Amino acid sequence: CLWCYTNNTCIDYPVRSILPSSSFCSLSNARWGVCWINFEALIIALAVVAGLILVSVTVCCCYCCYCRRRSRSRLDEEEEQLARKREERRLQSLQRKHERKLKHDEIRKKYGLLQDSDNPYSRFENE
């Protein structure tokens, strides 16, 4: 039902068009369904709601894409930092191992326990 306040008549809604033409009744005087819903207000309200939904979906998508990209880059940075730390620890461990070996070799040399590198299975002789 399309109620027109200019001539106080109820007309069957023109289903062939989305909005009623001005030949039936102007939009400011047209009411839809029940008499208190103004057509202009209905169109404006629907446009505002659709705009808000569209903006909120766009903002959510942009925010999610930004967060994913940021979290991926942050994860890559953390992974790279962990790999660097792991490599530093490995190098420090190798350096400490080499220093311990040198120190042990000095102690063995001091007490005459250093074995010949040619024959590592030579027998230890007490004098």
Side-chain angles (χ1 to χ4, degrees), residues 39-54:
F39 238 104
E40 280 183 329
L42 179 66
I43 292 170
I44 292 171
L46 288 176
V48 168
V49 169
L52 286 175
I53 290 172
L54 186 65

Side-chain angles (χ1 to χ4, degrees), residues 18-59:
I18 297 173
L19 296 175
S21 67
S22 59
S23 64
F24 292 115
C25 189
S26 66
L27 282 178
S28 60
N29 291 324
R31 304 289 188 257
W32 179 69
V34 290
C35 294
W36 56 271
I37 299 178
N38 185 349
F39 238 104
E40 280 183 329
L42 179 66
I43 292 170
I44 292 171
L46 288 176
V48 168
V49 169
L52 286 175
I53 290 172
L54 186 65
V55 167
S56 63
V57 167
T58 304
V59 167

Side-chain angles (χ1 to χ4, degrees), residues 63-107:
Y63 181 73
C64 289
C65 291
Y66 174 74
C67 285
R68 282 190 207 148
R69 188 174 349 121
R70 188 173 172 204
S71 67
R72 285 179 187 162
S73 65
R74 189 181 312 142
L75 287 175
D76 291 343
E77 288 174 6
E78 287 178 5
E79 186 176 321
E80 184 178 316
Q81 187 178 19
L82 287 174
R84 264 189 273 120
K85 284 183 180 181
R86 191 179 310 123
E87 183 64 23
E88 287 174 8
R89 282 186 294 224
R90 188 184 68 80
L91 290 175
Q92 288 174 354
S93 173
L94 287 174
Q95 184 179 5
R96 286 192 306 265
K97 185 177 180 181
H98 181 69
E99 288 173 0
R100 278 194 313 268
K101 185 178 181 326
L102 288 176
K103 190 177 254 185
H104 289 154
D105 286 347
E106 285 179 20
I107 293 171

